[in-house]
Amino acid sequence: MSDDKRFYLTTPIYYVNDVPHIGHAYTTLACDVMARYKRARGYEVFFATGTDEHGQKVEKAAHAKGETPLELADRVVKRFQALWEKLNISNTDFIRTSQERHKQAVQKMFRTIEAKGDIYLGEYEDWYCTPCETFWTETNLLDGNCPDCGRPTDKLKEESYFFRMSKYQEQMLAHIEANPDFIQPKTRRNEILSFLREGLRDLSISRTTFSWGIPVPDNEKHVIYVWFDALTNYISTLGYPNDSDGNFNKFWPCDVHVIGKDILRFHTVYWPTFLLAAGIPLPKKVFAHGWWTVEGQKMSKSLANVVEPNMLIDKYGVDAIRYFLLREVPFGLDGDFSHSALVHRINSDLANDLGNLVSRSTAMLSKYFKGELTTPGEATDIDKVLQDKFIRQIGVVDEQMEALAFNKALQSIWELVRAANKYIDDSAPWTLAKDDNQRERLGTVMYNLLEAIRLISLLVTPFMPETGAKICTILGIDPKDQQLDKHDTWGLLQPGTMVEKAAPLFPRIET
Ligand code: ME8
């Protein structure tokens, strides 16, 4: 397999002091769709996710519950893993920062940068926001509170190891300027460029005030800063530094780190400068998506409006949720979750457009040909228009997927669903069926319709794996034998195939 047929993508690793909600599900789901799409296009994919288990925040949460931090982590990790299984997430690895393999990697990174002379021991005094695990200068604070989350900060003074981040300011600016796609979307790139132009301070990368973390090599009084620890997951998951399975060599640099906009600076300034110092190539792209509010409000425990994905999946089905989250909001912008919008999407796009297309078409084939596909006759103009549109649109979807424009890709696929529905209306099979001389034409129309449905099933599979497989089975094909890069041309359905009359794919939801 050539190098360009490899793809490595990551989600953030989630804190274990919170249980998974719709925001975490969103990032992970977007990565899953991309991973499935790339596999369908013949790529060997490494898709990493996991949990961020160290730091003061987790230590405090554990103590509040009368648990050790590891007990808390063990319990919450199961909830993340169970949710990913339920959401049909196809991750390659699940890294926990409490694992020994990860500790090895973090200590190796620390040692490498220290050996280069870019880590030194000093003293730290600043304002610390524990919920955000971030230090702020006096001028950053808003009325004494954290400028990000608005909560109170504490003044901390401690001996600390520092990373010479300031040394890399020019190099980082030059990298971002020379690589316009490194930070996406563009607005985020501008945000980071202006942040860098203001100048970089050296970064405190160790703490002595708590112990739940990875010790600094040869100075166990210090634990390594949780972000230095967490960001290293992107290479520890690949087996850095020993690389006994060869994955680091094979998959690094990462094709895309997908994150929420809240953690952009860590991924586009801290992480790349650590890598520059360690002499490791930089990731190719960081894509920051927007945030979900719920029914117009910020999701928060105190408002008791946190949307719990398990409940949604049980109520509406996993594919409907997968579809909704990626269709509703352009990837990169903020969005609002509401039950009415969800029900509307399910009823109009899934039940009406897609569901009806499949049930109408298979019902007609069953009625007119006892479910058997016949050999298509010569293509008429409307047949050619349909075929051309499908072949062209597959290329459009590909470009949109490459740009992580999931909502646009789904819109493009739905243009095909609507074109196929229109093809039924324009060719009026029920009229053809009344005339024995039109038998071959009727067979051609049915063939074209089912071939259109086959191509739609290929395109929807990364978004809705169960639905894609269900449609293939209805069409008498083994889903395993259908792969986008090999089967995206028109006319692959075999005449003589028996097609099932489909039960509704998505029942309408009564409101
Ligand atoms: O930040 N809308 O972990 P975290 C959309 N451990 N996405 C949301 C969201 C919302 N309302 N809320 C959360 C951390 N997210 C660190 C990361 S990586 C080396 C370490 C998503 O558990 C979004 O992707 O707070 C965000 O970046 C992530 O959850 C934060 O998860």
Side-chain angles (χ1 to χ4, degrees):
M1 185 166 295
S2 69
D3 278 359
D4 57 356
K5 279 280 183 185
R6 286 178 196 147
F7 196 79
Y8 175 37
L9 81 170
T10 66
T11 74
I13 48 169
Y14 303 106
Y15 285 129
V16 288
N17 61 313
D18 200 0
V19 294
H21 58 59
I22 198 85
H24 308 123
Y26 182 56
T27 320
T28 309
L29 179 57
C31 288
D32 184 62
V33 170
M34 197 60 192
R36 286 175 184 273
Y37 184 78
K38 282 296 199 179
R39 285 190 206 108
R41 281 272 168 227
Y43 283 72
E44 188 181 359
V45 173
F46 198 103
F47 165 20
T49 190
T51 40
D52 187 353
E53 305 186 4
H54 291 136
Q56 197 168 14
K57 188 156 73 167
V58 173
E59 192 180 84
K60 275 191 175 169
H63 288 162
K65 289 200 161 72
E67 289 173 308
T68 66
L70 192 58
E71 281 167 351
L72 171 84
D74 285 345
R75 192 164 51 74
V76 177
V77 159
K78 288 200 189 89
R79 303 213 21 195
F80 276 97
Q81 288 172 331
L83 177 63
W84 299 156
E85 204 165 305
K86 195 161 169 168
L87 253 183
N88 270 329
I89 302 300
S90 62
N91 53 303
T92 316
D93 192 14
F94 188 101
I95 184 108
R96 299 181 55 180
T97 56
S98 58
Q99 287 165 339
E100 181 60 28
R101 58 173 175 152
H102 178 72
K103 177 178 168 189
Q104 300 285 331
V106 172
Q107 292 191 327
K108 173 73 182 175
M109 270 296 268
F110 194 98
R111 280 205 174 95
T112 308
I113 300 175
E114 195 177 29
K116 175 128 183 242
D118 284 344
I119 289 179
Y120 60 92
L121 193 58
E123 199 171 64
Y124 200 89
E125 188 175 0
D126 239 332
W127 296 91
Y128 195 67
C129 173
T130 305
C132 295
E133 303 276 18
T134 309
F135 272 102
W136 299 103
T137 58
E138 188 97 34
T139 47
N140 288 142
L141 300 182
L142 290 178
D143 298 330
N145 294 325
C146 171
D148 264 2
C149 73
R151 282 175 277 208
T153 51
D154 301 313
K155 184 126 194 196
L156 292 186
K157 182 172 182 173
E158 50 176 322
E159 181 186 88
S160 172
Y161 285 90
F162 284 84
F163 166 58
R164 280 186 216 286
M165 195 158 72
S166 56
K167 182 176 152 188
Y168 293 95
Q169 181 200 353
E170 288 304 324
Q171 212 174 330
M172 233 14 259
L173 265 173
H175 182 81
I176 297 171
E177 273 159 2
N179 296 276
D181 290 343
F182 177 59
I183 304 174
Q184 287 187 9
K186 228 195 189 112
T187 47
R188 303 286 165 217
R189 176 172 181 264
N190 295 339
E191 198 179 304
I192 293 301
L193 280 173
S194 35
F195 172 73
L196 278 169
R197 286 189 188 117
E198 279 169 25
L200 280 183
R201 293 197 302 163
D202 287 352
L203 183 72
S204 160
I205 53 160
S206 77
R207 302 284 179 264
T208 52
T209 47
F210 64 93
S211 59
W212 177 234
I214 296 174
V216 165
D218 307 321
N219 189 353
E220 304 244 325
K221 206 168 73 183
H222 289 253
V223 295
I224 295 175
Y225 175 40
V226 66
W227 274 101
F228 186 96
D229 167 343
L231 288 160
T232 304
N233 95 87
Y234 298 132
I235 55 178
S236 64
T237 184
L238 293 178
Y240 171 89
N242 304 324
D243 203 20
S244 44
D245 295 332
N247 283 330
F248 180 65
N249 183 37
K250 196 163 160 186
F251 289 101
W252 191 262
C254 181
D255 290 277
V256 58
H257 292 310
V258 179
I259 56 169
K261 64 178 185 180
D262 53 320
I263 54 177
L264 184 68
R265 202 175 286 177
F266 299 104
H267 283 81
T268 56
V269 180
Y270 292 18
W271 177 228
T273 54
F274 299 160
L275 290 168
L276 285 174
I280 299 173
L282 303 194
K284 294 178 200 160
K285 191 188 292 182
V286 177
F287 193 109
H289 64 66
W291 264 44
W292 285 91
T293 50
V294 174
E295 313 276 351
Q297 279 184 308
K298 194 170 170 196
M299 222 185 322
S300 86
K301 275 186 199 152
S302 52
L303 290 173
N305 67 347
V306 175
V307 178
E308 210 285 295
N310 281 292
M311 175 275 289
L312 287 180
I313 299 168
D314 290 341
K315 191 160 173 191
Y316 300 108
V318 60
D319 278 0
I321 300 304
R322 290 178 61 111
Y323 175 80
F324 173 78
L325 288 177
L326 293 178
R327 173 64 187 81
E328 190 66 6
V329 178
F331 203 59
L333 299 185
D334 293 338
D336 185 51
F337 180 92
S338 78
H339 284 273
S340 60
L342 172 61
V343 169
H344 176 74
R345 284 268 170 227
I346 294 175
N347 284 346
S348 77
D349 300 5
L350 299 180
N352 262 3
D353 295 343
L354 179 61
N356 274 349
L357 172 66
V358 176
S359 53
R360 290 214 274 175
S361 307
T362 58
M364 286 189 290
L365 189 72
S366 161
K367 183 167 169 197
Y368 303 140
F369 294 95
K370 298 200 168 56
E372 185 176 348
L373 277 180
T374 59
T375 306
E378 205 170 318
T380 64
D381 283 351
I382 66 161
D383 300 353
K384 286 184 195 141
V385 168
L386 184 78
Q387 294 168 13
D388 288 350
K389 186 173 175 84
F390 266 71
I391 297 313
R392 224 179 324 110
Q393 199 79 331
I394 290 171
V396 173
V397 171
D398 190 56
E399 281 167 24
Q400 291 164 330
M401 291 301 290
E402 288 298 325
L404 289 100
F406 301 111
N407 77 311
K408 285 193 187 150
L410 283 171
Q411 275 171 33
S412 301
I413 300 169
W414 254 252
E415 276 177 36
L416 295 179
V417 173
R418 295 198 184 100
N421 273 321
K422 183 164 182 301
Y423 177 81
I424 301 182
D425 299 338
D426 291 347
S427 51
W430 43 88
T431 313
L432 297 174
K434 288 185 190 134
D435 182 352
D436 277 348
N437 293 329
Q438 295 285 0
R439 188 85 187 141
E440 188 191 74
R441 178 66 198 146
L442 179 62
T444 305
V445 168
M446 295 317 304
Y447 181 91
N448 286 338
L449 262 177
L450 293 173
E451 182 61 4
I453 291 174
R454 182 185 69 81
L455 287 168
I456 289 167
S457 83
L458 278 183
L459 294 171
V460 299
T461 294
F463 294 91
M464 300 191 284
E466 286 182 3
T467 304
K470 222 188 255 176
I471 299 176
C472 275
T473 309
I474 290 166
L475 297 180
I477 326 169
D478 185 341
K480 285 198 238 41
D481 295 336
Q482 283 289 298
Q483 187 166 315
L484 199 51
D485 67 328
K486 297 200 187 79
H487 302 97
D488 63 352
T489 49
W490 187 274
L492 298 187
L493 271 180
Q494 292 303 309
T497 301
M498 296 304 296
V499 174
E500 282 173 39
K501 186 172 162 184
L505 291 175
F506 296 93
R508 274 188 73 81
I509 294 166
E510 300 308 328
T511 46

